[in-house]
Amino acid sequence: MENVKVKKEIVNQELKQKKKHYIDWKCIVRGQIYLAEMYDGIVQEVLVISNNTGNFYSGVITVVEVLNGKVDVTQMNTISKKRLLAYVRTIGEESMKLINHQIRVCIIGIDNMAAKPVAI
């Protein structure tokens, strides 16, 4: 899945045509990929990595950017749910296990390894 950065106006027009512009903020789940407005109106695919309880009650979520089908867990961001523009898909269980391991490597420093990008 090719990841292309586009301006918010273009994405909003496409979402209105596809009628995918409504996101239920209470149903955001860890492991889902969304289009989100990140910096200066640039739209980027992001993977939700924050826990589901926090996703339900909080107004913010923790995400990592998806670039060329890979996620780099060293680039975690906390963003407002209001920045989410459209649901894209949910990643598989095996991919999420690899990402969980890379998050532990990145945060805790286990296995004396450096976190590496994970293909999804």
Side-chain angles (χ1 to χ4, degrees):
M1 179 177 270
E2 184 174 329
N3 190 353
V4 180
K5 294 182 179 183
V6 295
K7 291 290 179 187
K8 183 179 178 182
E9 302 86 43
I10 296 171
V11 171
N12 284 336
Q13 290 174 1
E14 291 175 2
L15 295 175
K16 286 177 185 176
Q17 290 173 356
K18 295 179 182 177
K19 298 183 180 179
K20 290 186 178 179
H21 60 283
Y22 176 76
I23 297 172
D24 184 353
W25 292 348
K26 298 291 184 185
C27 294
I28 297 169
V29 177
R30 189 170 200 268
Q32 291 179 331
I33 296 176
Y34 287 88
L35 287 177
E37 180 183 353
M38 296 302 283
Y39 313 103
D40 299 326
I42 294 175
V43 175
Q44 178 73 42
E45 283 187 355
V46 295
L47 171 68
V48 178
I49 60 169
S50 48
N51 69 64
N52 292 334
T53 302
N55 295 342
F56 184 84
Y57 290 106
S58 179
V60 297
I61 55 174
T62 304
V63 299
V64 291
E65 293 181 11
V66 178
L67 299 171
N68 300 321
K70 294 184 179 183
V71 295
D72 183 359
V73 297
T74 62
Q75 302 297 317
M76 292 183 227
N77 293 299
T78 300
I79 63 169
S80 169
K81 290 180 183 178
K82 294 178 183 178
R83 290 179 171 242
L84 298 180
L85 303 174
Y87 169 82
V88 176
R89 67 184 176 104
T90 301
I91 66 169
E93 201 172 307
E94 288 302 315
S95 293
M96 200 63 212
K97 285 181 183 178
L98 292 171
I99 291 166
N100 288 338
H101 176 74
Q102 291 301 317
I103 290 170
R104 285 192 296 276
V105 168
C106 181
I107 294 175
I108 303 170
I110 63 169
D111 299 335
N112 295 323
M113 300 168 56
K116 299 174 187 170
V118 177
I120 55 172

